[in-house]
Amino acid sequence: MSMGTLAVLINSTQQNWLPERWKARFDAVCGGRRVVLLPDAGLDPAEVHYAAVWKPVPGDLGSFPNLRAIFNLGAGVDALMADKSLPDVPLVRVAVPDLTNRMTEYVVLHVLMHHRQELYLRDSQRAKRWEPQYQWPASAVTVGVMGLGTLGADAADVLRRLGFRVAGWSRSPRTIEGVECFHGAAQIDAFLRKTDMLVCLLPLTPDTHGILNRDVFTKLNRSSPLGAPVLINAGRGGLQNEADILACLDDGTLGAASLDVFVQEPQPADSRFWTHPKVLLTPHNAADTDADAISAYVAEQIAKFEAGGVLENVVDRARGY
């Protein structure tokens, strides 16, 4: 198999996604392979065998007749899956320890912030109020993780080792040491009833769209030391019904929320999420992708593939992840 050209197509102006930075990293690790940054008016589309992409415009990948594989540079593939013109070639999602570790850092950070009453303590600091409240142990709190793939399983394991009770829910059966695992529609209510803090790391599919809604929130445990359940969503914005989240925060169905993802990104200036006293908002950087780790991963995958090997972490298009 010949050494095909790698096209880099990144639709972003954010500092962590600067296309030029990604091209430089691919140039450094691709061993002499031609790397082109799209759009490139001088490029012969037939030369492109591989594409490394982030949020390409629908239709952009359909012009390469010899495309052999698409590498999605972030964790979520829902934007690509929505492109009806996406070429019928293997779609590879990134799975590197760096991304997994960063997501676990985010989940643990926010679980601990809610567990250790940081919203109350920061409010006390602003009010110059020295009134510490009773701090319950981690063993008194059950963290429920929705989505037990690579990211969810790692976060669940670390939380368990910190002393939290941990439950997990996934579409199909999973087994994780020390984690009470539930699966499927028949077991989701039992999972929710045990959960004090709900961490969502599900992929976005037609089945999971809008799954974080009032019906789910009302089933969460209301007898934990937290007083009211907490939501932490670092999955995808489309997983959450944002009107329901705000209403449930306002009426006490939810006690607090950490949200890294939103239906509209960036959030508009008039969004209540910016200023809501019960919300910790982050700008979709829970598992900020590292260009060094991901570019090396893609280069290694391509080299193995051209040597006759099999691509890893290929998306099942029927399942959406």
Side-chain angles (χ1 to χ4, degrees):
M1 191 178 290
S2 63
M3 183 178 280
T5 294
L6 171 65
V8 179
L9 178 55
I10 296 174
N11 185 24
S12 177
T13 58
Q14 296 180 17
Q15 182 179 3
N16 57 328
W17 282 102
L18 292 177
E20 295 78 12
R21 175 172 176 257
W22 280 91
K23 182 183 183 304
R25 291 306 307 142
F26 280 116
D27 283 334
V29 299
C30 278
R33 182 184 308 279
R34 187 185 181 200
V35 178
V36 296
L37 187 62
L38 298 180
D40 184 334
L43 175 68
D44 178 359
E47 297 179 10
V48 175
H49 290 183
Y50 310 99
V53 306
W54 179 242
K55 295 185 177 180
V57 175
D60 277 354
L61 293 170
S63 61
F64 304 115
N66 296 318
L67 195 64
R68 293 172 177 163
I70 301 167
F71 297 87
N72 190 55
L73 298 177
V77 297
D78 47 285
L80 277 172
M81 295 294 291
D83 181 1
K84 301 304 181 183
S85 67
L86 193 69
D88 187 18
V89 299
L91 171 58
V92 180
R93 57 181 175 80
V94 298
V96 295
D98 177 77
L99 188 149
T100 302
N101 293 341
R102 290 181 188 221
M103 180 60 81
T104 295
E105 287 175 0
Y106 180 92
V107 170
V108 171
L109 169 67
H110 282 263
V111 166
L112 287 174
M113 282 199 291
H114 294 293
H115 167 59
R116 294 302 301 257
Q117 307 175 72
E118 278 298 298
L119 286 172
Y120 169 77
L121 293 173
R122 297 292 68 79
D123 182 67
S124 295
Q125 179 181 355
R126 289 187 291 271
K128 302 179 182 178
R129 181 179 64 242
W130 192 281
E131 296 178 5
Q133 296 181 332
Y134 169 74
Q135 178 59 54
W136 49 85
S139 60
V141 176
T142 297
V143 181
V145 180
M146 296 184 83
L148 294 176
T150 301
L151 302 182
D154 190 72
D157 181 62
V158 173
L159 289 167
R160 174 191 62 81
R161 287 188 276 125
L162 285 173
F164 291 97
R165 299 191 303 250
V166 183
W169 180 84
S170 54
R171 173 176 169 173
S172 54
R174 293 294 307 275
T175 301
I176 302 172
E177 182 182 356
V179 176
E180 186 175 6
C181 294
F182 300 80
H183 70 276
Q187 296 184 8
I188 191 169
D189 284 2
F191 162 77
L192 294 171
R193 287 194 295 269
K194 297 181 70 73
T195 296
D196 304 318
M197 289 194 211
L198 181 64
V199 175
C200 188
L201 296 176
L202 290 168
L204 180 59
T205 69
D207 290 336
T208 63
H209 188 274
I211 193 171
L212 299 176
N213 55 42
R214 177 176 286 276
D215 180 60
V216 162
F217 304 148
T218 56
K219 294 173 181 175
L220 296 170
N221 183 32
R222 308 200 62 81
S223 61
S224 77
L226 298 172
V230 170
L231 170 66
I232 299 171
N233 184 19
R236 309 297 291 172
L239 296 168
Q240 63 197 25
N241 182 317
E242 294 175 355
D244 279 6
I245 292 175
L246 287 168
C248 288
L249 288 168
D250 290 342
D251 67 20
T253 301
L254 288 174
S258 288
L259 303 174
D260 184 59
V261 289
F262 298 87
V263 174
Q264 179 179 344
E265 296 180 355
Q267 277 283 276
D270 61 353
S271 168
R272 292 185 62 212
F273 286 118
W274 287 112
T275 56
H276 200 292
K278 296 180 180 179
V279 172
L280 294 171
L281 180 153
T282 52
H284 202 152
N285 71 334
D288 218 359
T289 305
D290 178 67
D292 292 345
I294 300 302
S295 58
Y297 170 83
V298 171
E300 180 181 355
Q301 285 260 50
I302 292 175
K304 287 182 178 179
F305 181 61
E306 289 185 340
V310 177
L311 293 168
E312 302 171 358
N313 301 305
V314 175
V315 172
D316 182 340
R317 296 202 185 195
R319 298 175 70 181
Y321 58 92

